[in-house]
Amino acid sequence: MPASGQVFRDRVKLLVEKVIAEMGLEKRFRVETEYLSPHGSVVRDRDRRVDVAVLDSEGRPYLFIECKWQTSSGTAEDKLFRSAEEARRDRIFGVHSVVVLGGSGFNRKVFRWALTEGFVHETFLETWLREFFGR
């Protein structure tokens, strides 16, 4: 992951930890980065590392968060389609899954598609997390 992508992932992780702590859920959940998914990859026949994983108190995956950062037109847009498939598969296996978009470089058409697929823009992530964990 490029440096700016790592910074974005780390910001997302810190925000998830903050929301969990403020909601008093730190005994129920812990947060890890670069988590090796027990489901592998739906697209490639190999391992898959999830950017941010929220695990329950027994260490089972509860929420997977993929972070996609884009400052200019490029490969992250192509990877969005794979991310959508991975998120669908996670849900089939009973793990909540969301893709978070960051940066201003996404093509408008691809960006709108991503939002209709349930992706979340970083601007709305804190609100999304509070609603998700509050229900």
Side-chain angles (χ1 to χ4, degrees):
M1 178 181 292
S4 57
Q6 288 176 350
V7 170
F8 180 54
R9 181 203 62 208
D10 292 345
R11 275 197 342 244
V12 168
K13 178 185 185 250
L14 288 172
L15 180 60
V16 173
E17 290 173 331
K18 172 190 164 201
V19 168
I20 287 172
E22 288 177 358
M23 296 182 78
L25 301 172
E26 58 268 52
K27 289 184 179 171
R28 287 185 53 200
F29 300 109
R30 77 173 194 273
V31 183
E32 292 186 14
T33 56
E34 295 294 315
Y35 178 79
L36 185 61
S37 170
H39 311 134
S41 174
V42 69
V43 179
R44 303 171 298 181
D45 188 24
R46 55 192 234 190
D47 291 339
R48 171 177 166 232
R49 293 206 177 269
V50 178
D51 292 323
V52 178
V54 177
L55 308 176
D56 68 17
S57 59
E58 296 179 21
R60 293 179 302 225
Y62 184 76
L63 171 64
F64 285 163
I65 303 173
E66 290 291 340
C67 302
K68 297 298 175 200
W69 177 261
Q70 184 86 359
T71 54
S72 62
S73 183
T75 61
E77 288 178 346
D78 298 333
K79 294 175 183 174
L80 292 181
F81 300 102
R82 187 182 89 217
S83 296
E85 289 303 311
E86 299 285 13
R88 281 187 196 96
R89 183 166 185 231
D90 293 337
R91 291 189 286 272
I92 289 170
F93 283 111
V95 179
H96 304 289
S97 189
V98 67
V99 181
V100 179
L101 305 175
S104 59
F106 290 100
N107 169 294
R108 276 312 292 164
K109 188 174 182 180
V110 172
F111 183 75
R112 282 191 297 271
W113 169 84
L115 292 178
T116 63
E117 286 293 309
F119 292 30
V120 176
H121 188 269
E122 65 178 319
T123 306
F124 305 105
L125 182 58
E126 184 169 354
T127 300
W128 186 93
L129 289 166
R130 289 184 185 284
E131 288 295 316
F132 176 81
F133 285 110
R135 304 254 174 212

